[in-house]
Amino acid sequence: MAAVELADLLHYPFLPEAQKILASRGISVAGLSKTGSGKNYLDKAAERVVFAIDGKETYPSDISGDNISDIVTYVLARVLVSCTKDRRTVERFVRAEAKRVFSYLKQEQNQTIKSRVCSEFGISLDAERLSVLQYVEMAANIREEKWRLINREVSAGQVSISADELEILLSEKIRVYLGSSLPMNVPGAIEREFAPWTEKLLIKTQERTLAEFGAIDESAYPPCIQALIQGAAAGVNLTHSGRFALVSFLHLIGMDASQIEGIFARSPDYNPDMTMYQVDHILTNEYTPPSCATMLTHGICVSKDSTCEKVSHPLNYYRERKRYLERKRRLEEAKAKKAEEGAVSETKNEG
Ligand code: SF4
């Protein structure tokens, strides 16, 4: 196996070699907030997560002269997002880190390091073909039709791929790899110790969600989500995919766990403990809310309307419908204002 230098680990801090460096420097996570340098690392780790929540493409490398700072902040950032127990925060962090790694890998001049990193992902950067198994695994979350195995050229158990496609698959593989062990199980004592940093991250995520989706507007929910809410309120035992679609949708548009639990509380046979367990489990462990195609496969795409024809994801439906309702409301307000001004001027003329 190729030797990996410290400078390389700054770009690829997920490599097992990075963990060894931290251990060799005697840096441990517990008790970190009790020292000035530890607090400094935690601040930088939180800043790294904030960059990700804000959707910034790259987090700048530390230029303070502390040559292990980027590794420490990466490790701590993983702990902090795990402490949030918030799927949106975890997902944003993973996406940003994956983009960062991918961009370093694309620019990597050192072939030895390139091979080492790719071997960690189990892929060769020069591959023109992948085994069916590997292909299916890597393309599992890509929804476009052309990625379906049925639409690929397969020969002797190998799927042909172009260089551009390999890049897409590799970036997807990096995202899955970095997210596979998140959120981690963090001991309660560390969760409590890091709470001041975690709470700030949760506020940031909530602000970002609000900026992205605006205030929650029930009248803009897609038909599938409305049906699931009605089902939950009527005490229908939702399937796992139905419950997941509902909870992940509501969470991504800005509801917290207690607000979501409130939806299930409308049911006549509401069980608070069971609901809390199920909602928390989904918010902590599952990621991407299902697309329309997946909803259809699970039989929970129902009562489609004309907006559904323009979207491929319930979240896009919600955005689209919100924009439409907002425009309509503004037009009505402008009309009402004009009518009011007309009435005032008429009264003045009569006077
Ligand atoms: S098309 Fe999409 S948004 Fe519309 S009901 Fe089906 S899953 Fe929901």
Side-chain angles (χ1 to χ4, degrees):
M1 187 184 289
V4 182
E5 303 291 333
L6 176 61
D8 303 314
L9 294 176
L10 302 182
H11 293 171
Y12 311 111
F14 53 87
L15 290 173
E17 292 89 331
Q19 315 298 321
K20 286 187 194 150
I21 290 205
L22 294 193
S24 71
R25 304 275 174 113
I27 296 175
S28 78
V29 171
L32 210 56
S33 68
K34 295 183 177 66
T35 66
S37 62
K39 271 190 188 144
N40 194 24
Y41 279 140
L42 280 163
D43 287 343
K44 283 184 181 167
E47 187 185 82
R48 188 170 183 142
V49 182
V50 167
F51 260 71
I53 295 171
D54 278 339
K56 292 188 180 153
E57 290 273 310
T58 47
Y59 174 73
S61 288
D62 194 310
I63 50 165
S64 64
D66 177 352
N67 60 6
I68 56 164
S69 175
D70 277 1
I71 302 172
V72 182
T73 57
Y74 173 75
V75 171
L76 287 178
R78 283 169 56 85
V79 177
L80 288 179
V81 296
S82 298
C83 290
T84 67
K85 296 191 168 64
D86 182 85
R87 196 171 48 78
R88 296 166 302 181
T89 310
V90 173
E91 190 172 3
R92 286 196 165 120
F93 171 71
V94 170
R95 280 188 193 283
E97 289 295 328
K99 274 187 190 157
R100 185 174 198 252
V101 171
F102 182 66
S103 86
Y104 279 130
L105 198 55
K106 260 185 90 176
Q107 297 163 32
E108 186 62 71
Q109 298 297 317
N110 183 333
Q111 290 306 318
T112 312
I113 295 309
K114 215 170 189 172
S115 308
R116 168 68 190 94
V117 174
C118 286
S119 77
E120 191 67 23
F121 298 132
I123 189 170
S124 156
L125 261 191
D126 308 318
E128 291 175 352
R129 275 177 288 278
L130 294 172
S131 73
V132 168
L133 203 66
Q134 200 175 23
Y135 175 84
V136 169
E137 188 205 334
M138 290 170 78
N141 292 316
I142 308 179
R143 300 285 169 216
E144 275 173 74
E145 277 297 301
K146 75 164 193 168
W147 292 98
R148 291 181 63 195
L149 191 57
I150 199 168
N151 297 325
R152 308 299 307 186
E153 190 190 317
V154 183
S155 165
Q158 301 281 306
V159 184
S160 302
I161 44 165
S162 68
D164 288 348
E165 288 173 339
L166 180 65
E167 283 199 357
I168 294 172
L169 288 175
L170 182 59
S171 64
E172 180 60 17
K173 176 86 183 179
I174 296 172
R175 189 185 68 78
V176 171
Y177 177 97
L178 296 184
S180 61
S181 51
L182 288 177
M184 301 179 284
N185 270 328
V186 181
I190 294 180
E191 268 185 27
R192 286 188 291 281
E193 181 186 340
F194 291 176
W197 287 270
T198 310
E199 279 157 18
K200 280 185 198 146
L201 294 180
L202 280 170
I203 291 170
K204 185 74 197 168
T205 298
Q206 200 57 26
E207 283 171 1
R208 176 78 194 165
T209 305
L210 200 60
E212 197 177 331
F213 289 102
I216 293 167
D217 181 354
E218 289 197 24
S219 61
Y221 288 170
C224 49
I225 298 297
Q226 289 187 24
L228 288 168
I229 289 177
Q230 279 162 15
V236 173
N237 195 9
L238 301 182
T239 59
H240 173 74
S241 42
R243 211 167 33 241
F244 169 56
L246 180 58
V247 171
S248 59
F249 175 89
L250 295 174
H251 189 49
L252 267 185
I253 64 165
M255 279 197 190
D256 61 21
S258 63
Q259 287 171 304
I260 297 170
E261 280 153 25
I263 301 253
F264 288 91
R266 298 176 193 171
S267 161
D269 52 2
Y270 169 58
N271 177 336
D273 290 341
M274 175 61 84
T275 303
M276 204 182 301
Y277 171 78
Q278 289 176 336
V279 170
D280 283 352
H281 182 80
I282 290 171
L283 297 190
T284 311
N285 294 297
E286 305 204 33
Y287 294 100
T288 319
S291 65
C292 294
T294 310
M295 300 280 281
L296 188 66
T297 310
H298 290 290
I300 46 179
C301 165
V302 293
S303 312
K304 283 171 76 165
D305 61 18
S306 56
T307 309
C308 290
E309 304 304 332
K310 300 184 221 158
V311 300
S312 58
H313 200 288
L315 285 168
N316 292 342
Y317 179 110
Y318 181 69
R319 276 196 198 95
E320 179 88 17
R321 188 85 189 140
K322 266 200 91 173
R323 273 199 292 265
Y324 166 76
L325 292 173
E326 188 62 26
R327 272 198 309 272
K328 196 170 156 209
R329 188 182 57 74
R330 277 204 298 269
L331 272 174
E332 281 168 2
E333 276 173 9
K335 237 162 112 183
K337 197 172 168 206
K338 216 168 161 189
E340 200 180 306
E341 284 167 359
V344 171
S345 91
E346 260 179 45
T347 315
K348 275 187 188 160
N349 289 342
E350 282 166 14

